[in-house]
Amino acid sequence: MQVKSANEKFTELFDKLEGCKEEEQMQKIEEMNELMEEMNENEFISVISIGMFEKMHKMIEEKKMTMKNAFYLMEHIGHCKELKGIFITSFYLSKLYYFVQKMIINEIEKKEEKNEKILADLCECYLLLSPGVSSELLSISVPCLLKVALRKEESEETRKEVEMALLAVSNAGYWSVEQKLYLNEIKEIVLFHQKHHNLTHLAYQSIWLYLIYRLDFDKSLEREIVFKLHFLREVKREMEELTRCVDWKRKEKERGGKVTEDELILMRWFKTLGIYFSKYRSKNEEFDGFIDSIVKVLRAARENKREISNKCIYTLREAAKNESVRIDDLLKEGAVEAVLEEIQQSASICKSTCYCLRFFLNISRRLREKTDNEMEEVNRKAMKMEIFEKMEEGGYEDAIASFHEIFGFLNNKFYGGLSLNISDYSVNV
C-alpha cells in the first residue's frame, strides 16, 4: 500500500473541514499544522494555493469556519512560510486577502470598544501572508503588533503570542514606516529582553531583522543599532546559544531532509547579518572576534548542514565587501583560510562556489586601493603579502583557474556578479 505524502494528507484534511463542528475542525487544523512542518518548499506551495484561501473565505462567509479557527490555520501557514523562507502570492491573489483588509478597517473604525485580540490576529495574518501591503494598513498593523510584543507576563502563551507578533512585524521590513510608529517600542522590547531574556530565540531574531531592514529607509538608526542596542554583541550571543542546540553530526539523510527550528532561526540570523553588512558602513569595536564566530559555524556546518554553511559564506562575502570590516580581521579570525578550504573542497557548481569567488574578488579589489596615509599604506602592503602567502599555500591560483571558464555560467545561474577577468581575483605583491 502506497504511503500518502504530507501534502496529500493535508489536502484530505482540508477538504473535510467544511463538514466539521468547531472543536473537530480545530483538531484537524492542528494535524494540518503538523503536516506543514514536514513539507518541503514545493509541497508547501502546492497546498497553500489560491483555491485553498478562496475556499476558506467561502467557509467563513457561510459560517462553516469560525474566525478563531481561520486565524489559527493562517497564522501557522505564515509561521511555516517565514521560518522556511518560502515566498507565496496565493493569499494576496485571493478574496480572503481583501476580506482581511476590510475587517482590519472595520475594527479600527468601530466607535465602541475595539476587540484588540481580533485586530492583532487580523494584522498578523495580513503581514505574514501578504507579499505587498498598503501604507495605511502598515501604519495600523505595526504599532498594533508591537503593542502585543510589549506584553511582559511570564507565561508560555504570552511568549508564543509575542513571537507571532514579532514574526509578522519582521515580514513588514521591506516597507517604509514612520520612525515614531515603531522605534521607541522596539528599543523598549530589545532592552527589556537584554536584561530579562523574556523573548524566544525566534521573537528576538525577528525584531532585529525588522530593525536592520529600517537602515534602507533611515540611516540615522545606525547609532541606535550599534552603540545603544549592541547588534553584533547580541547576534554573537544568540548564535552561540543556537549552535549549542544543533546536532552538527547528524546527517540530512538521517533527518529525512527535515531542518530543526534552531537551524532555521540560525539561518535567519545570517540573513539579517547579510543585510547588515550590505548597508552598515561605520566603524564598530564589536566587530572584534565577531568574524571568528561565523567561521566556527561554517566549519561545524560544512559536512552535514550545507544550507547553513552557504549562509555563512554569503555573510562573509558581504563582510569582505564592507569597508568597516578590516581585512586583517578576515585573515586573523580565519575567514580567508575557511573560504579557501571551501573552494578547494567544492565538488559541484553551486551557490557556495559563487559566494567564495565573490569573497576573494571583494578582498582583492579592496587591497588594490592605495591610500595617502603612509602608515595605512605600509599595513596594506603587509596585508597583501600575508594574504598572498596564505592563498599560495592553499592552492588558490589553481582553484580559481579551474573555475575560470564557467564564470559566465555562474553569473547567469546565480546572479553572481563575478568579473570575467581572472586577474581581478589575484592579490599581486
Side-chain angles (χ1 to χ4, degrees), residues 272-292:
T272 309
L273 279 170
I275 298 166
Y276 172 80
F277 283 128
S278 70
K279 301 181 188 309
Y280 181 74
R281 290 291 178 268
S282 302
K283 299 295 181 184
N284 179 5
E285 290 181 4
E286 290 181 3
F287 274 134
D288 292 343
F290 187 79
I291 297 299
D292 177 62

Side-chain angles (χ1 to χ4, degrees), residues 98 111 117 132 190 209 259 288 291 337 344 365 367 400 404 427:
Y98 298 100
K111 292 181 180 178
K117 177 69 172 77
V190 170
L209 178 59
V259 183
D288 292 343
I291 297 299
E337 189 174 356
Q344 286 283 22
R365 282 174 175 170
L367 286 173
I400 292 295
H404 183 223
V427 177

Side-chain angles (χ1 to χ4, degrees), residues 293-338:
S293 64
I294 300 173
V295 170
K296 284 177 180 174
V297 177
L298 170 58
R299 287 200 162 116
R302 182 173 284 148
E303 292 300 319
N304 301 315
K305 318 281 184 184
R306 288 302 309 173
E307 201 168 349
I308 294 177
S309 68
N310 286 348
K311 299 283 186 188
C312 292
I313 300 164
Y314 174 83
T315 305
L316 292 172
R317 182 197 87 174
E318 292 301 301
K321 185 168 64 176
N322 189 316
E323 292 184 4
S324 66
V325 180
R326 297 189 300 264
I327 292 179
D328 57 344
D329 285 343
L330 294 171
L331 181 64
K332 290 172 185 173
E333 295 181 26
V336 172
E337 189 174 356

Side-chain angles (χ1 to χ4, degrees), residues 247-261:
D247 182 355
W248 297 106
K249 293 182 180 179
R250 193 175 183 192
K251 297 181 180 179
E252 282 190 11
K253 289 180 181 178
E254 296 171 5
R255 295 177 287 135
K258 280 193 73 174
V259 183
T260 67
E261 182 163 318

Side-chain angles (χ1 to χ4, degrees), residues 6 35-45 84 86:
L35 288 166
M36 273 190 274
E37 292 174 10
E38 296 176 17
M39 294 178 191
N40 60 35
E41 183 173 347
N42 290 334
E43 290 172 331
F44 186 87
I45 291 171
K84 296 181 183 200
I86 299 172

Side-chain angles (χ1 to χ4, degrees), residues 257-273:
K258 280 193 73 174
V259 183
T260 67
E261 182 163 318
D262 290 323
E263 291 170 34
L264 291 168
I265 298 169
L266 191 57
M267 286 190 277
R268 279 173 64 89
W269 272 118
F270 283 113
K271 174 184 177 180
T272 309
L273 279 170

